[in-house]
Amino acid sequence: MRIVVDANVPAAQTCFGGLGEVVRLPGREIDAAALQEADALVVRSITRVDAALLAKARRLRFVGTCTIGTDHVDERALAERDIAFASAPGCNAEAVVDYVLGSLLTLAERQAWRLAERRVGIVGVGNVGGRLLARLMAMGIDCLACDPPRVEAESVEAQASVEQRLAGFVELDALIDACDVICLHTPLVSEGRYPTWPLLDAQHIAALAPGSVLLNAGRGDCLDGQALRQRLAGQGDISAVLDVWQHEPAIDHGLADLAAIATPHVAGYSLDGKLRGTQRIYRALAQHVGLPAPLTLADLAPAPAVSCLVLDAGLDREEALRLAMRAVYDPRRDHDSLHREARRQGMAKGFDACRAGYPLRREFATLDIELGEGARELAPLLAGAGFRVDTATA
């Protein structure tokens, strides 16, 4: 079996090598010619899998994407050719939540406000948004949520249970009116009752209160980038954190310059998240061809470079959070990298270079925090944020 795999899929040889011959190619170089003799294709989000790509794939019987999102895959085209499909929903959701928390705490530090005093509105309460909502509420942050499809899908009894456990569900306009921070975590949907293309249009962006933070780590086309650029360049009274963009990789350079934090679609790029995606598609392909899949995530993940942090008295609550988060991941690194590579190579090439050469990054859950006598009150906050708190010392 010949398996074509995006070169950015980690542990590809370890996982797929036991199932067949592995051919690794950069995601943007996977074309119809590359699939002529392929039996299986494993991609990430930058490869568009459609009828044009499949035109010469006479042997292809399986496609897997090691990502949460599937809008880059034409599932109808696969079904018409009797090609099995698998994705990895939720695989990098924890990493995206890490990115959101790290970015918000970075802005709070720069702009001299406290996250604990803000109300966060989450638009889209799926794999990512649901985890973000749960973590923020465990940290004691006031939250609202907007997810009309979920509200419609739930029964009255189940929805009441969700609201009691998490937060109140409101309409988008009400959420914008009531919240200081707006986080977008919706899929890209262009049809049906609840399209998200675009979800935040010029009218919604104009309605954001001065001092608001708008964060998009969902899909770039869910946000009217031109309207946001005009608001930032004109009034300049809101802040934007953008990880996803319209027209990737040739994104709007001007909008990137105006964003408080601008990163190249890497919010979910933790090693742990990527390995979960690889392992899930490996299992799906093995099941498809009737072979065993003995490798687990524990077999693939190395020990973290920083595994333990000891804290004691003297730290403010949000200072302690920032210290713990930056021991694992600092989004300022990705912001600086995008701007540096854009200057060196141009935006499109620089954007892709940042993703292709992305440095090792782990998730908050890989860090153990030991709390001394004077810091034990921080245990609920740090555990809520996603760290492993040593309860024996806390």
Side-chain angles (χ1 to χ4, degrees), residues 82-106:
D82 195 27
I83 299 172
F85 174 64
S87 63
C91 65
N92 64 351
E94 298 292 350
V96 179
V97 177
D98 292 353
Y99 171 91
V100 173
L101 295 179
S103 296
L104 293 180
L105 282 158
T106 293

Side-chain angles (χ1 to χ4, degrees), residues 180-329:
D180 310 291
V181 178
I182 312 295
C183 297
L184 303 185
H185 299 289
T186 61
L188 185 62
V189 180
S190 58
E191 300 176 346
R193 293 186 60 189
Y194 303 110
T196 63
W197 182 66
L199 181 66
L200 256 64
D201 56 19
Q203 184 176 351
H204 289 120
I205 291 169
L208 293 170
S212 296
V213 175
L214 175 59
L215 185 152
N216 190 9
R219 287 292 180 263
D221 284 324
C222 293
L223 174 67
D224 186 332
Q226 182 177 2
L228 178 58
R229 178 177 176 175
Q230 291 173 350
R231 174 77 187 260
L232 293 171
Q235 296 166 259
D237 58 349
I238 64 172
S239 300
V241 176
L242 302 174
D243 181 60
V244 292
W245 310 78
Q246 294 173 304
H247 313 302
E248 294 180 12
I251 69 172
D252 184 340
H253 206 313
L255 179 57
D257 285 342
L258 291 166
I261 297 177
T263 53
H265 202 155
V266 292
Y269 259 38
S270 71
L271 176 62
D272 308 84
K274 288 182 177 182
L275 289 174
R276 284 190 205 98
T278 303
Q279 199 256 350
R280 289 184 189 179
I281 298 306
Y282 152 72
R283 288 169 54 192
L285 177 55
Q287 182 177 19
H288 177 72
V289 298
L291 292 175
L295 294 173
T296 67
L297 186 62
D299 295 322
L300 304 176
V306 180
S307 59
C308 183
L309 182 67
V310 180
L311 302 180
D312 214 321
L315 286 171
D316 171 86
R317 287 170 60 86
E318 293 198 5
E319 288 177 338
L321 272 175
R322 275 190 286 269
L323 181 61
M325 290 177 180
R326 288 172 183 167
V328 181
Y329 170 61

Side-chain angles (χ1 to χ4, degrees), residues 151-166:
V151 171
E152 184 176 271
E154 297 279 359
S155 67
V156 174
E157 295 79 12
Q159 183 56 42
S161 174
V162 169
E163 291 183 1
Q164 291 168 7
R165 186 174 73 251
L166 296 177

Side-chain angles (χ1 to χ4, degrees), residues 329-340:
Y329 170 61
D330 188 342
R332 296 176 299 182
R333 178 196 67 188
D334 295 334
H335 171 90
D336 293 344
S337 176
L338 176 61
H339 287 283
R340 181 180 64 249

